């Protein structure tokens, strides 16, 4: 299986790490990029919660600088700097996937024809690749960690993962 490059936003890294599944990124994508602005957001998060993931501790995650002109070239939006950096970097590198969970950011990236995957998509891909046995316990773990997941999306995810009848 050919693995595509992934550019990660904070939420993707944070929640996959909190449920003990950060290694799925390395198993499914290559390389895995983290914009410096996202690294900064995570650094700030560690001030309040020391167990927040540090991408610098993973040799398969590469911190990247996003050229200001690439971010400035994005259409007007209300996204955070980390999300903007992810989208700008993925947009300027053909074939890269943007790792985003925020609905507004995902829709914005898709309008710019940037491929997007979120935590849920990672879990479904991992199940299909045989990297995890079941998605449901991980969805439950995500919710316990504060990940917001509407009931209809929870149910749809189980269907897509083959864990619930359509």
């Amino acid at each position: 299986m050919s693995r595509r490059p992934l550019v990660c936003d904070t939420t993707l890294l944070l929640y996959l790490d909190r449920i003990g599944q950060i290694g799925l990124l390395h198993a499914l994508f290559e390389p895995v990029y983290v914009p410096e602005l996202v690294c900064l957001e995570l650094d700030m998060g560690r001030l309040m919660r020391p167990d927040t993931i540090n991408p610098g501790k993973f040799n398969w995650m590469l911190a990247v600088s996003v050229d200001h002109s690439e971010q400035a070239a994005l259409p007007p939006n209300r996204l955070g700097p980390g999300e903007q950096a992810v989208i700008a970097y993925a947009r300027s590198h053909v074939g890269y996937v943007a790792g985003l969970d925020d609905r507004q950011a995902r829709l914005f990236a898709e309008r710019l024809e940037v491929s997007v995957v979120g935590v849920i998509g990672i879990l479904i891909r991992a199940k299909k690749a045989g990297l995890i046995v079941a998605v449901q316990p991980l969805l439950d773990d995500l919710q316990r960690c504060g990940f917001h997941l509407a009931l209809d999306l929870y149910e749809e995810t189980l269907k897509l993962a083959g864990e619930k009848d359509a």
Side-chain angles (χ1 to χ4, degrees):
M1 166 174 91
S2 175
R3 298 186 294 169
R4 292 174 64 187
L6 177 71
V7 188
C8 288
D9 189 35
T10 303
T11 307
L12 196 72
L13 297 169
L14 193 67
Y15 283 103
L16 285 174
D17 184 60
R18 287 192 179 156
I19 64 168
Q21 298 297 323
I22 194 68
L24 293 177
L25 295 178
H26 183 52
L28 295 168
F29 299 92
E30 184 177 47
V32 176
Y33 294 108
V34 183
E36 289 174 346
L37 284 169
V38 171
C39 291
L40 183 60
E41 287 177 0
L42 291 165
D43 289 345
M44 290 170 30
R46 272 191 304 286
L47 295 174
M48 294 185 342
R49 187 170 167 172
D51 65 340
T52 297
I53 186 171
N54 181 352
K57 292 189 175 184
F58 297 86
N59 64 359
W60 49 268
M61 283 190 208
L62 306 168
V64 291
S65 178
V66 179
D67 190 275
H68 178 70
S69 64
E70 291 173 359
Q71 274 186 257
L74 292 174
N77 63 80
R78 294 175 181 240
L79 303 178
E83 294 160 338
Q84 288 180 17
V86 167
I87 294 167
Y89 197 81
R91 184 180 187 207
S92 67
H93 294 83
V94 177
Y96 282 36
V97 179
L100 298 161
D101 273 303
D102 178 82
R103 180 170 159 63
Q104 251 189 326
R106 292 171 63 87
L107 293 172
F108 183 75
E110 288 168 354
R111 278 196 307 272
L112 297 175
E113 299 181 359
V114 173
S115 295
V116 176
V117 68
V119 170
I120 304 302
I122 298 287
L123 295 179
I124 292 169
R125 287 179 188 209
K127 168 108 188 255
K128 290 180 179 179
L131 299 171
I132 58 174
V133 176
V135 169
Q136 185 169 5
L138 298 175
L139 291 178
D140 295 341
D141 289 347
L142 281 169
Q143 289 183 311
R144 276 190 289 279
C145 290
F147 188 86
H148 300 287
L149 186 61
L151 180 59
D152 59 336
L153 182 55
Y154 182 95
E155 299 289 331
E156 183 64 23
T157 301
L158 295 180
K159 288 177 190 172
L160 290 171
E163 298 178 27
K164 184 175 181 170
D165 294 331

